[in-house]
Amino acid sequence: MLRLKGGRLYDPEHGVDGQVRDLYVENGRIVAAPGPETRIDSEIDLAGRVVMAGAIDLHTHIGGGKLNIARALLPEDHRADTVPAMGDMHAGCGHAAPSTWTTGYRYAEMGYTACFEPAMLPSNARHAHLEMGDIPMVDKGAYAMLGSDDFFLRLLASGSDQRLINDYVGWTLDATQAMAIKVVNPGAISAFKFNARNLDLDEAHPHYGVSPRQVIQALARAVHELGVAHPLHVHASNLGIPGNADSTLATMAAAEGLPIHLTHIQFHSYGTEGERKFSSEAERIADAINRMSNVSADVGQVLFGQTVTASGDNMSQHRNHRHASPDKWVTMDIECDAGCGVVPFKYKDKNFVNALQWAIGLELFLRVSDPWRIFLTTDHPNGAPFTSYPHLIRLLMDRGFRNAKLDEINAEAAAHSQLRSLEREYSLYEIAIMTRAAPARSLGLSDHGHLGVGAAANIVVYHDDANREAMFEKPEYVFKDGQIIVRDGRVVKVVNGAQHAVKPEYDKAIEKPLKEYYDRYMTVKMEHIRVSDDEICACGASKLIPHQCTGRRA
């Protein structure tokens, strides 16, 4: 048994806010304090240290075809910041689109122990799992993309019963070993293939005649009735377009009280005020989230520097390709499922739009009052690489630092922002909620994100540095399932993480019309979509962790 002695614990799931306590670890789990007769095999003195559960990234693009495209498109991104090959550790590199190995090492070095890929195409699920399985150190999971796939849109257009839609969603989750359902620009990825260049919430699809509102309502209800823990994960309409805040607010209302998660909401919080017809609607969006307890969101914070945008939203990526930096880009169609766009981009602090995007994201963080419903993301790599998280945390925790950075951006953008008037500074307890406890609760990970008895011993120990960027950049210890994997910010042991997937109940009779559809229209067989349990471990995961759903058939 290991005793971690005298650390200052931040465990929001149990209301522990900086209390000095001991932790006990045995067989990869946190256990109750032992009796006097129990042998303590080793002890680490953590006096003065800050202790949290392992961090969880709810939304980060780490697996699937678009990342491989980005790596191929940007050989110059493969910097020389390699991890030296030693023992079980492989060399790796990359910044905006790092290699699989580098992804795992860099996440672990910052204290992350679980990461979730938010856009896995069912037709590409096997590849996505192979790629995620190659990422060491962290647990993984993925959200299956629906909402622009031909089979679903046919169901919706024909007025199919909700139970049939539920069965299709349940089959997709089960077959692809997914953790949740994602919808990207609902219906519009498909509409782009019919030469549409935008599709607002209540516009009819040019071929199927259904609206994004109908797509969202059908999928949100399916996810809810199947009992999937994480709400429908929504990339809303009109990403990046001035005035899109109206669509975002309408999307929240379209859920009609059902749980819904809006992703990278910074890119959907824009108005049209001012001479440049581009302004912040962060206050209005945050007020709506504060009012609507069924809504959660991650921010997708923009930070300055070179990155690459990689998205299933081929409509918006085609629109944005003229801003590519460097000037090269890819937009493609994938079967009848969805699409993909990869556009390199450099965010500049002296650029009015980029600077205001930076401020809008921070405004959202500071205006949403409940840290249980707002999550720390940069939509890696779209807003910034995930390695910038420590810098973002300092911006949220240190008003003086934030205002100093505000002084450095485009002066006109700074003048248009209300950021300077926002006095809020996040506490360590709130950071622990936003990056640990809340993602675990949202995803239904009952033994992650906290330090209670029975939890997986994913534990991070920090020096309490007033410079929060330095503190969160380099933990003193990171434990994964009770083993020390990082010491003083460097990987010391390479491990493979588990794969998480939900197991909903659904009527298997859905496979008959699905098989007929695949045989008639698709280039692969229905059976080829399914990823077996054995394949998950063959892909590299240490184990598959199934999560039962609490749904019931209507």
Side-chain angles (χ1 to χ4, degrees):
M1 181 179 290
L2 167 67
R3 176 163 69 177
L4 303 177
K5 182 180 178 182
R8 198 165 80 247
L9 273 56
Y10 291 86
D11 182 12
E13 186 63 39
H14 297 98
V16 178
D17 185 2
Q19 298 175 26
V20 175
R21 295 186 180 181
D22 294 347
L23 285 177
Y24 296 88
V25 175
E26 190 170 37
N27 298 323
R29 295 274 163 179
I30 297 174
V31 297
E37 71 284 354
T38 302
R39 175 180 172 179
I40 302 297
D41 299 302
S42 59
E43 179 177 289
I44 301 176
D45 187 355
L46 300 183
R49 310 298 198 276
V50 170
V51 182
M52 297 181 182
I56 300 168
D57 197 339
L58 185 91
H59 183 111
T60 175
H61 295 281
I62 55 173
K66 58 188 174 298
L67 264 296
N68 274 340
I69 295 170
R71 294 179 186 118
L73 189 66
L74 294 169
E76 63 270 31
D77 181 64
H78 297 180
R79 298 179 175 183
D81 55 347
T82 58
V83 177
M86 56 181 184
D88 293 328
M89 188 178 291
H90 297 273
C93 59
H95 176 64
S99 70
T100 51
W101 299 328
T102 299
T103 297
Y105 301 148
R106 295 293 179 260
Y107 262 117
E109 288 167 354
M110 295 191 306
Y112 278 77
T113 55
C115 302
F116 290 84
E117 160 59 49
M120 177 178 69
L121 285 177
S123 62
N124 198 41
R126 183 166 282 101
H127 167 83
H129 284 298
L130 281 164
E131 191 166 359
M132 288 188 292
D134 205 42
I135 297 172
M137 315 303 287
V138 294
D139 287 0
K140 280 84 62 173
Y143 313 153
M145 277 179 62
L146 292 177
S148 277
D149 50 304
D150 180 60
F151 187 84
F152 169 76
L153 291 173
R154 286 169 181 255
L155 287 179
L156 203 57
S158 66
S160 295
D161 188 272
Q162 180 69 40
R163 287 176 295 180
L164 190 61
I165 293 173
N166 293 1
D167 292 335
Y168 173 55
V169 172
W171 178 87
T172 302
L173 287 164
D174 183 47
T176 64
Q177 301 279 7
M179 193 65 184
I181 292 293
K182 166 80 169 294
V183 60
V184 174
N185 198 356
I189 299 173
S190 170
F192 182 75
K193 300 172 188 180
F194 292 88
N195 210 32
R197 290 297 178 260
N198 60 276
L199 193 70
D200 209 348
L201 190 68
D202 290 306
E203 286 187 67
H205 187 289
H207 177 72
Y208 300 96
V210 300
S211 69
R213 180 185 296 272
Q214 290 173 278
V215 172
I216 289 168
Q217 289 175 340
L219 289 176
R221 184 159 299 282
V223 169
H224 179 67
E225 291 181 355
L226 287 167
V228 178
H230 188 58
L232 179 65
H233 200 90
V234 180
H235 166 140
S237 306
N238 299 321
L239 179 143
I241 296 177
N244 63 12
D246 290 338
S247 294
T248 305
L249 294 168
T251 300
M252 294 182 194
E256 296 182 341
L258 291 172
I260 189 173
H261 178 91
L262 295 178
T263 190
H264 42 64
I265 199 168
Q266 178 277 136
F267 290 105
H268 304 271
S269 300
Y270 303 156
T272 57
E273 295 181 2
E275 292 181 1
R276 295 177 182 254
K277 304 300 181 184
F278 183 74
S279 59
S280 170
E281 288 282 9
E283 183 173 12
R284 198 155 61 109
I285 297 296
D287 286 348
I289 296 173
N290 290 337
R291 289 194 313 271
M292 304 171 73
S293 60
N294 63 307
V295 177
S296 61
D298 62 80
V299 170
Q301 177 68 38
V302 159
L303 295 166
F304 304 118
Q306 181 67 54
T307 192
V308 57
T309 64
S311 173
D313 191 347
N314 53 0
M315 181 181 282
S316 69
Q317 293 295 76
H318 180 267
R319 185 177 61 245
N320 292 331
H321 77 267
R322 63 186 184 276
H323 302 300
S325 178
D327 187 12
K328 47 186 174 179
W329 56 282
V330 173
T331 299
M332 63 182 292
D333 171 30
I334 302 172
E335 286 286 338
C336 294
D337 268 347
C340 177
V342 178
V343 181
F345 196 85
K346 187 172 184 178
Y347 293 100
K348 301 175 181 178
D349 59 356
K350 300 304 182 184
N351 176 281
F352 172 81
V353 171
N354 297 167
L356 195 53
Q357 288 175 307
W358 174 87
I360 289 168
L362 294 174
E363 286 182 37
L364 287 163
F365 274 118
L366 299 170
R367 289 186 181 279
V368 174
S369 58
D370 184 1
W372 288 94
R373 292 192 291 119
I374 191 81
F375 302 92
L376 188 139
T377 68
T378 58
D379 186 25
H380 166 81
N382 292 292
F386 66 81
T387 46
S388 59
Y389 286 172
H391 179 73
L392 175 54
I393 289 173
R394 186 178 182 189
L395 288 169
L396 298 177
M397 297 191 71
D398 186 339
R399 186 189 179 206
F401 177 73
R402 185 168 68 235
N403 285 341
K405 292 299 177 183
L406 185 62
D407 290 336
E408 296 176 5
I409 69 169
N410 178 281
E412 187 181 357
H416 277 74
S417 171
Q418 297 180 18
L419 186 59
R420 196 179 302 277
S421 67
L422 300 178
E423 298 182 0
R424 181 180 179 184
E425 294 179 315
Y426 269 71
S427 66
L428 285 171
Y429 189 75
E430 289 174 315
I431 293 295
I433 292 172
M434 186 168 53
T435 60
R436 274 92 169 161
R441 183 184 291 183
S442 180
L443 289 163
L445 306 177
S446 60
D447 60 350
H448 285 61
H450 67 91
L451 300 173
V453 171
N458 299 332
I459 303 165
V460 187
V461 179
Y462 301 98
H463 288 283
D464 191 3
D465 193 326
N467 181 338
R468 298 309 192 189
E469 182 172 352
M471 172 179 167
F472 282 95
E473 192 173 53
K474 192 175 181 180
E476 182 175 2
Y477 295 100
V478 179
F479 294 83
K480 179 75 174 72
D481 297 319
Q483 301 181 76
I484 295 176
I485 61 170
V486 171
R487 179 71 190 266
D488 294 326
R490 298 295 292 172
V491 172
V492 295
K493 182 178 178 61
V494 177
V495 297
N496 290 334
Q499 181 76 21
H500 295 266
V502 296
K503 298 298 176 183
E505 294 183 7
Y506 62 95
D507 189 343
K508 304 300 190 292
I510 188 66
E511 293 186 353
K512 184 177 185 296
L514 261 176
K515 186 178 187 308
E516 293 172 352
Y517 171 83
Y518 271 84
D519 287 346
R520 181 174 181 182
Y521 296 108
M522 303 293 275
T523 61
V524 296
K525 299 294 186 183
M526 182 196 76
E527 295 83 359
H528 296 163
I529 300 297
R530 183 172 292 280
V531 180
S532 70
D533 292 359
D534 290 341
E535 283 184 89
I536 292 297
C537 292
C539 288
S542 61
K543 59 183 175 180
L544 173 65
I545 300 178
H547 296 267
Q548 299 306 311
C549 297
T550 58
R552 63 185 187 280
R553 286 184 58 80

